[in-house]
Amino acid sequence: MHRLVERAVQGDADAFLELMEENSLSMYKVARGILRNDEDVADAIQSTILTCFEKLHTLKEAEYFRTWMIRILINECDQIWRHHKKVNPIEEMPEIPRPDQSLAEFEFKEMLRQVDEKYRVILTLYYEQGFKIGEIAELLELNENTVKTRLVRAREQIRLAYLQETPREGGTSDERKYTAG
């Protein structure tokens, strides 16, 4: 990928297109972890591609292309999310899962819905994209300890949400509602 980035920086449009194709799934997963619908995800990815194309000459080191691109994508997603928050403060209805989604992908998206917005991107970057805590801290411009803390808190939110939905032995649904929450 290093050579591909260098070619793209020198103005090779085919190399840039190939870079975007190689990273399209990663961009989709990160954007989908932040945003709630595919239209917004598509807008964020489109804006990211355009920004990357226009600003590629500002990339200092080719090996950091993916990190640089994901940072741009996160900024685009945040901008779209803030816009929707201002325009439509009422929570959207969750999307109906597509039949071609794998069970694991569906469960991961459901899990993301259980956590606060600030934790979603960290969970997506850590579990889906395989970024290390230090890389996430750099991408999000956060302290590493903050990223670690948010991962712990996100896991706790997921655990608590799971306990509320999981029947306990010997209890009625009313008892579960009051004991788990």
Side-chain angles (χ1 to χ4, degrees):
M1 183 158 82
H2 188 278
R3 180 70 187 126
L4 202 55
V5 173
E6 288 176 352
R7 286 182 28 222
V9 168
Q10 294 170 358
D12 185 342
D14 291 333
F16 179 78
L17 288 173
E18 192 174 333
L19 271 174
M20 292 299 107
E21 277 185 38
E22 283 183 11
N23 289 287
S24 63
L25 184 59
S26 292
M27 286 192 294
Y28 175 80
K29 288 180 177 181
V30 169
R32 192 65 172 101
I34 300 169
L35 301 170
R36 295 184 184 255
N37 67 56
D38 285 333
E39 292 83 17
D40 289 341
V41 168
D43 288 345
I45 291 172
Q46 184 177 8
S47 294
T48 299
I49 291 171
L50 181 61
T51 302
C52 286
F53 185 75
E54 291 172 346
K55 307 276 184 182
L56 193 58
H57 66 279
T58 66
L59 180 65
K60 292 181 175 91
E61 295 186 43
E63 67 235 26
Y64 296 118
F65 173 79
R66 186 169 180 254
T67 304
W68 175 77
M69 178 195 64
I70 295 294
R71 178 72 245 166
I72 292 170
L73 176 64
I74 290 169
N75 288 339
E76 293 291 340
C77 290
D78 287 346
Q79 186 176 11
I80 290 169
W81 188 79
R82 282 190 305 270
H83 173 73
H84 282 304
K85 191 175 174 183
K86 288 178 187 175
V87 173
N88 188 13
I90 299 171
E91 191 73 23
E92 288 182 27
M93 291 293 293
E95 284 188 7
I96 298 170
R98 296 181 316 269
D100 61 339
Q101 276 184 315
S102 72
L103 182 59
E105 182 181 358
F106 175 75
E107 287 176 343
F108 186 76
K109 286 179 182 180
E110 285 301 309
M111 177 192 70
L112 287 177
R113 288 189 179 115
Q114 303 296 322
V115 297
D116 292 339
E117 191 68 37
K118 66 182 176 181
Y119 303 136
R120 288 182 188 158
V121 69
I122 291 175
L123 289 171
T124 301
L125 292 171
Y126 188 77
Y127 287 110
E128 265 196 313
Q129 298 301 309
F131 280 98
K132 294 179 175 86
I133 289 173
E135 294 170 326
I136 295 170
E138 183 182 324
L139 269 172
L140 300 179
E141 298 172 354
L142 296 170
N143 183 299
E144 281 189 37
N145 288 331
T146 302
V147 173
K148 289 176 187 177
T149 300
R150 288 185 181 179
L151 273 172
V152 168
R153 289 181 180 163
R155 291 177 189 134
E156 181 65 12
Q157 280 187 3
I158 292 165
R159 186 185 72 77
L160 290 174
Y162 179 75
L163 286 176
Q164 286 179 344
E165 295 174 4
T166 304
R168 293 183 179 196
E169 289 183 33
T172 65
S173 61
D174 288 332
E175 288 172 336
R176 285 191 305 274
K177 188 181 347 176
Y178 293 110
T179 57

